[in-house]
Amino acid sequence: MKTEDTKLLINNFSFIAVFALLFICYCTITSKLTVETNLSRSTSVAVEPKRIIVVDPGHGGEDGGAVGINGVLEKELNLLISDDLCELFCFAGYEVIPTRTEDIMLYDRNVNYNGRKKVLDLAARLEIANSAIPDLFVGIHMNAFPQQKYSGLTVYYSDHTPISCQTAEALRHDVISLLQPQNNRETKSGKNIYLLDRATYPAILVECGFLSNPEECELLSTEEYRQKLTFVIFSSLTSFLEESKA
């Protein structure tokens, strides 16, 4: 899909329309795969397994994350965007594993967690990802800073696989082209981020915007903007994954 066409789609279509379009594409792909599967059975050709995506909505439960200038909690926005992102990946034929689907921290309640909830929560998320051995790990977060002037999506990447940086750069480029033309934020190494520093598979973390910026916080609090943002993330990542597989 050309950049101009994608822009038009994002600006003029509702999420339902986009979802319907994706569903039609998915049905077409599924039909093709069914034919190929039947053919492979008759010719003893192995069917390629689904690619695996781990989606990690940051924070949750007692850990609310950043607090927006309008009072919105990061943990809530992270989960809303992640839920929609998971649905889109599923419709596109990926195997999707979310680290959480409800408002909880993931620490083990059967151990002494006093003063250790955060590190145990991160360790649990890492264990989920490591067990899945995903083709891509995607963390969803929100940013905040004492000065209100900063805004824009920022992508962090794992230093351990070159494709992580490439994925982050592709997403940054698409966000600028399709949604945030004034965004001048560079991609950043995630060497100081627990999950990215320990990832042995392609991994990125998306800071979707600054809750400390009044305008961006209000945008992120609206369903319409979140759906546009989610679709840009989804379309960029799936395009890059398919291109890198070829």
Side-chain angles (χ1 to χ4, degrees), residues 36 55 81 85 89 119-120 150 198 201 203 216 229-230 242:
E36 292 176 348
V55 178
I81 289 174
L85 192 59
F89 277 127
V119 68
L120 290 173
Y150 295 105
R198 289 161 177 78
Y201 32 77
E216 191 160 49
L229 175 62
T230 302
E242 294 309 309

Side-chain angles (χ1 to χ4, degrees), residues 19 22 26 50-55 81-97 136 138 140 230 233-239 241:
F19 210 79
L22 289 170
Y26 176 68
K50 287 185 177 181
R51 308 191 84 187
I52 300 172
I53 309 289
V54 170
V55 178
I81 289 174
S82 295
D83 284 348
D84 285 345
L85 192 59
C86 286
E87 287 190 20
L88 289 172
F89 277 127
C90 283
F91 267 103
Y94 290 84
E95 180 179 346
V96 185
I97 301 173
L136 181 63
V138 185
I140 299 296
T230 302
I233 295 172
F234 162 76
S235 60
S236 178
L237 295 182
T238 51
S239 293
L241 282 167

Side-chain angles (χ1 to χ4, degrees), residues 49 67 107 112 118 123 128-129 151 153 160 166 170 181 184 193 210 212 222 230 238:
V67 180
Y107 61 87
N112 179 14
K118 185 62 179 177
I128 292 171
S151 65
L153 179 145
H160 301 303
Q166 296 166 17
N184 59 2
I193 297 175
F210 283 77
S212 49
T222 67
T230 302
T238 51

Side-chain angles (χ1 to χ4, degrees), residues 185-199:
R185 305 191 64 80
E186 300 293 333
T187 57
K188 298 181 179 181
S189 166
K191 62 183 178 181
N192 295 321
I193 297 175
Y194 183 97
L195 294 173
L196 296 186
D197 186 51
R198 289 161 177 78

Side-chain angles (χ1 to χ4, degrees), residues 27-235:
C27 289
T28 302
I29 294 170
T30 303
S31 176
K32 181 181 178 183
L33 287 176
T34 301
V35 173
E36 292 176 348
T37 300
N38 292 334
L39 180 61
S40 67
R41 285 174 179 168
S42 64
T43 57
S44 300
V45 177
V47 178
E48 184 178 351
K50 287 185 177 181
R51 308 191 84 187
I52 300 172
I53 309 289
V54 170
V55 178
D56 179 45
H59 307 284
E62 305 96 306
D63 177 14
V67 180
I69 201 162
N70 62 358
V72 68
L73 297 179
E74 177 186 358
K75 66 174 184 176
E76 298 170 354
L77 298 180
N78 293 344
L79 188 57
L80 288 169
I81 289 174
S82 295
D83 284 348
D84 285 345
L85 192 59
C86 286
E87 287 190 20
L88 289 172
F89 277 127
C90 283
F91 267 103
Y94 290 84
E95 180 179 346
V96 185
I97 301 173
T99 57
R100 70 178 179 97
T101 58
E102 54 185 325
D103 183 19
I104 59 171
M105 290 185 76
L106 302 179
Y107 61 87
D108 187 348
R109 271 70 174 171
N110 297 314
V111 302
N112 179 14
Y113 52 75
N114 291 328
R116 303 171 60 217
K117 288 182 179 180
K118 185 62 179 177
V119 68
L120 290 173
D121 173 78
L122 289 171
R125 294 169 193 264
L126 182 63
E127 183 178 355
I128 292 171
N130 286 345
S131 297
I133 315 177
D135 293 278
L136 181 63
F137 172 94
V138 185
I140 299 296
H141 283 257
M142 302 287 155
N143 223 329
F145 200 73
Q147 298 180 34
Q148 296 183 2
K149 65 180 181 179
Y150 295 105
S151 65
L153 179 145
T154 310
V155 191
Y156 291 80
Y157 57 87
S158 170
D159 284 323
H160 301 303
T161 56
I163 199 171
S164 298
C165 181
Q166 296 166 17
T167 304
E169 284 292 342
L171 177 54
R172 172 182 174 272
H173 175 271
D174 290 337
V175 166
I176 293 172
S177 298
L178 301 170
L179 192 65
Q180 299 176 359
Q182 305 305 318
N183 187 335
N184 59 2
R185 305 191 64 80
E186 300 293 333
T187 57
K188 298 181 179 181
S189 166
K191 62 183 178 181
N192 295 321
I193 297 175
Y194 183 97
L195 294 173
L196 296 186
D197 186 51
R198 289 161 177 78
T200 56
Y201 32 77
I204 63 171
L205 186 148
V206 185
E207 296 275 8
C208 294
F210 283 77
L211 297 183
S212 49
N213 180 282
E215 292 78 14
E216 191 160 49
C217 184
E218 286 303 321
L219 280 175
L220 288 163
S221 299
T222 67
E223 184 178 12
E224 180 183 2
Y225 180 78
R226 288 196 307 271
Q227 289 173 347
K228 289 179 179 180
L229 175 62
T230 302
F231 181 65
V232 171
I233 295 172
F234 162 76
S235 60

